[in-house]
Structure formats: structure tokens, C-alpha cells
Amino acid sequence: VVEPATKAAAPVLRDEYRCLIGGELVAAGSGKTFAKFSPSTGEKLAEVPDCNADDVDRAVQGAHKAFSEWRKLTPSERGAYCHRFAERLRARSEVYAMLDALDGGNPLRSMRQDVAAVANQFDYYAGIATEIKGNTFPGTSTAFSSTRREPYGVVVRIPAFNHPIMFSGRIGAALVAGNTVIVKPTKQTPLSTLEMAHDAKEIFPPGVV
């Protein structure tokens, strides 16, 4: 029998959850929140921001602004940020795993595996950053043609509810390739994604995540 995680046994919840927009942790522009309850025990876990289209617009504008500088970094430089983020995820693995166990009702052991998986993904994509290459091929007998891979711009990650941190954290490839990323937390299990915002704020330049 797997005992459900409870709020009292897991002092990992924040008194207030905010969104990371343009490098700042902010409330929803409307000030609205909604209550998040544990599916295992029915107890109230937290109030989280109830964002709307205006908040999305602010996030997109911040990401576009950050993109102009983020794209100028070399793939290795962007990979170094991702390595640092992987280290942070591992250092705070128990916090993330417990949040997902509380929020989604999943076994804690499985959620620990999810944190490890997403940290490993960040390291993997950071490690192959220099493999972002174009191709060179003969055009004529005296000239060559070449291709160059360029970042797309601002991309959006919309995770599923059942493995929140693992799905929200699958952004390493986009970041290493030079894109900025907006993560839209799932309404059913938003807590670990909102927690991820605190670590992203400390590690990545403003607006990149």
C-alpha cells in the first residue's frame, strides 16, 4: 500500500505562487487565483495565479525581447546554462518530487524518477549543443552551397497533467537551439512548474524561460 503524500508531511509548499514573466515573479494581472486541492486527500494545497490572455501577451513580449540576445550566444554558452539548471533540479529533486506527489497523487518514488529524467535531458541536449550544424555541398565546379540552422524564436511548451515536472521541463532542446520558451502549467497539476519558475529566474537570463 502506498500512502498518499500529505501537506503536513511535506513542508515544500510556498505561501504564494507566482508566474515568471519577463524575468520577474508576478501575480496574474487580474489578481485572480484558484485553489488547488490534493486528489489523494482532498485538502487544499495552495492558491495559484489564474492568468488570462493579457498575461500571455506579457509573457510573449518578454520572450521576444529576450530572444534577440539569447540567439546571439553560442550553442555551448546556452548549453552551460542548461547544465546549471540540471544541477539545480538534482539538488532540489526531493522538493519537486514531493510537489508532484502532492499535486497529482502519484507515488513519490515515481516522481523522483521524473525529476532525474528531466535533469538528464537538460544535460543531454547541453552535451550535443555543438552538433547543431548545417551542411555544405558542391553547387558548381567552382563554388559550394551551405545551409545554416537558426533558432525559430519563441516557442511554447504545454505539458500534460500526469507527469508535471518531466513534461514541463522538456525544454532543453529548444533552449540550446537558441529559442526562448514559454511554459504553460497544466491547471490540474501546476505546482512543480510554478516552482520551476523560481529556479529558472535564478539561472536563465530574464525572459528566456
Side-chain angles (χ1 to χ4, degrees):
V1 178
V2 177
E3 291 293 330
T6 64
K7 185 175 180 178
V12 296
L13 294 165
R14 292 184 180 271
D15 294 332
E16 182 180 34
Y17 283 93
R18 295 195 162 206
C19 299
L20 179 62
I21 297 178
E24 298 295 330
L25 292 164
V26 298
S30 66
K32 292 182 179 180
T33 62
F34 64 90
K36 182 65 191 68
F37 297 90
S38 165
S40 298
T41 65
E43 64 184 328
K44 182 179 177 179
L45 299 173
E47 292 280 340
V48 300
D50 192 4
C51 295
N52 59 28
D54 291 336
D55 299 299
V56 174
D57 286 343
R58 288 191 293 133
V60 171
Q61 291 168 13
H64 272 299
K65 182 179 179 180
F67 174 65
S68 62
E69 295 300 321
W70 182 249
R71 68 177 301 174
K72 295 177 184 177
L73 300 182
T74 66
S76 293
E77 288 171 333
R78 296 191 292 262
Y81 280 100
C82 289
H83 275 311
R84 287 176 58 199
F85 196 69
E87 292 170 1
R88 179 66 62 88
L89 288 172
R90 292 190 183 98
R92 305 190 66 227
S93 173
E94 199 67 11
V95 172
Y96 282 108
M98 184 59 76
L99 282 173
D100 277 356
L102 280 167
D103 206 11
N106 288 311
L108 180 60
R109 179 175 60 184
S110 297
M111 298 302 95
R112 288 175 179 142
Q113 294 171 350
D114 282 3
V115 182
V118 74
N120 289 341
Q121 279 193 356
F122 269 98
D123 276 338
Y124 172 77
Y125 289 116
I128 62 171
T130 55
E131 294 303 310
I132 301 175
K133 302 172 181 176
N135 297 303
T136 301
F137 46 91
T140 67
S141 59
T142 58
F144 290 92
S145 297
S146 64
T147 62
R148 182 175 67 181
R149 296 187 181 274
E150 296 185 343
Y152 181 81
V154 179
V155 300
V156 178
R157 177 73 181 166
I158 303 178
F161 74 95
N162 53 336
H163 292 272
I165 190 60
M166 184 170 71
F167 292 144
S168 293
R170 285 183 174 173
I171 57 177
L175 291 170
V176 168
N179 303 290
T180 54
V181 179
I182 296 172
V183 182
K184 188 269 181 194
T186 173
K187 197 163 189 175
Q188 296 95 328
T189 51
L191 297 183
S192 63
T193 307
L194 293 173
E195 183 66 29
M196 189 174 78
H198 288 264
D199 289 322
K201 180 181 186 298
E202 290 188 20
I203 291 174
F204 292 103
V208 170
V209 177

